[in-house]
Amino acid sequence: MKRKKQLITRRRFLTAVTAAAAGAACRPAWSAAAAASAAPASALWVIHGEDPAAMLQAGMQRMGGWAAFVKPGRAAVLKPNAAWASLPEQGGNTDPVLVEHCVRTCLAAGAAEVIVPEKPCSPAKDAFRLSGIEAAVRRAGGRMYTPRAEHFQQVELPRAVILKQADVIRDVLEAPCLINMPVAKSHGGATLTLSMKNWMGVVQDRGFWHKNKLHQCIADFSTLVRPHLIIIDATRIMLTGGPRGPGKLAHPHQVIFGTDPVAADAYAATLFDKQPFDIQHIRLAHEMGVGCGDLAAVKVEHIKV
């Protein structure tokens, strides 16, 4: 077990170093003019529409197709937000229709299985049922579960400021294809919960984050776990009352696709009439080299379906 922990830590450290090198091209000191004259640090595709299946298909075409992410014959791990015992139309969880199409198309692309782990805030049986996500995953042929103690692996975070170690769901650490599919919504402690904060559903002790500078812990964790693909559900967003709700909703009818979590969250923040660096964990992750939160240096392409 000790050797396995070391191997996982080393692999994630090398991934983090690579991400930091890529993020070095985007710095807060850049002016908009300088950014405009250089190659974009990251790219996002924002799909507008009202049909989740068509939006998912259009987004994945721009991302190079599922073959760019799914490893034939190997598992894909999907992390939606399924934390709350609330109905889909209340906006507290990822749209189950989007989740279902993601699971189904991953399997069609050759994934051996699609695994959907979630440690929810509400009791799991209520959150999974009321959100509609458990039924959606089952219909599509995936497997959803609530992790037990033996499903977690303790890992070190060598670049972290506060969150120096964490117990993380092993399937997330070892995923050949890791997809982060949060819903965009407000949050009392973190201002917004988007892709980087969505990882709180894969750790054993989320309480530590809340008690020890939540924004820094969100940024710290993102130096360790980086998804291969990010799909942010912004079809409807919770403007107030998050993360559970009920609250005031808006309906941008957008789904955001990318591979840079900082850039994806930075764009999503604008849907709430906020500047990216108004959200402290976006600014911190940007400064730590996790990705690019300066939208002047990010290519954002809008597609209507």
Side-chain angles (χ1 to χ4, degrees), residues 107-123:
L107 290 170
E113 61 176 332
V114 178
I115 304 167
V116 185
E118 175 73 287
K119 186 180 179 187
C121 299
S122 298

Side-chain angles (χ1 to χ4, degrees), residues 172-239:
V172 170
L173 292 172
E174 299 178 349
C177 173
L178 180 60
I179 305 167
N180 192 355
M181 185 183 275
V183 63
K185 56 183 177 175
S186 64
H187 189 278
T191 309
L192 298 178
T193 171
L194 304 165
S195 76
M196 287 186 285
K197 190 184 174 300
N198 195 39
W199 293 129
M200 290 184 76
V202 306
V203 298
Q204 193 166 42
D205 182 12
R206 72 175 76 218
F208 179 90
W209 298 34
H210 285 288
K211 297 172 185 176
N212 294 274
K213 296 186 178 179
L214 176 59
H215 287 279
Q216 185 64 64
C217 287
I218 294 170
D220 283 350
F221 193 80
S222 295
T223 66
L224 176 78
V225 173
R226 186 182 180 95
H228 300 99
L229 174 64
I230 301 151
I231 305 173
I232 298 181
D233 174 13
T235 53
R236 43 98 179 91
I237 61 177
M238 189 188 298
L239 302 176

Side-chain angles (χ1 to χ4, degrees), residues 21-32:
C26 177
R27 294 299 183 204
W30 275 25
S31 67

Side-chain angles (χ1 to χ4, degrees), residues 45 61 71 75 110 134 141 144 148 154 175 183 192 199 219 304:
W45 284 262
Q61 285 176 346
K71 310 299 181 186
E134 184 176 46
M144 187 172 188
R148 299 187 299 271
Q154 187 178 94
V183 63
L192 298 178
W199 293 129
K304 174 70 176 178

Side-chain angles (χ1 to χ4, degrees), residues 13-72:
F13 175 73
L14 291 174
T15 300
V17 169
T18 301
C26 177
R27 294 299 183 204
W30 275 25
S31 67
S37 66
S42 298
L44 300 173
W45 284 262
V46 181
I47 310 302
H48 300 251
E50 298 189 16
D51 180 344
M55 296 167 80
L56 185 67
Q57 180 180 5
M60 290 310 300
Q61 285 176 346
R62 271 62 181 189
M63 296 297 295
W66 282 111
F69 301 95
V70 171
K71 310 299 181 186

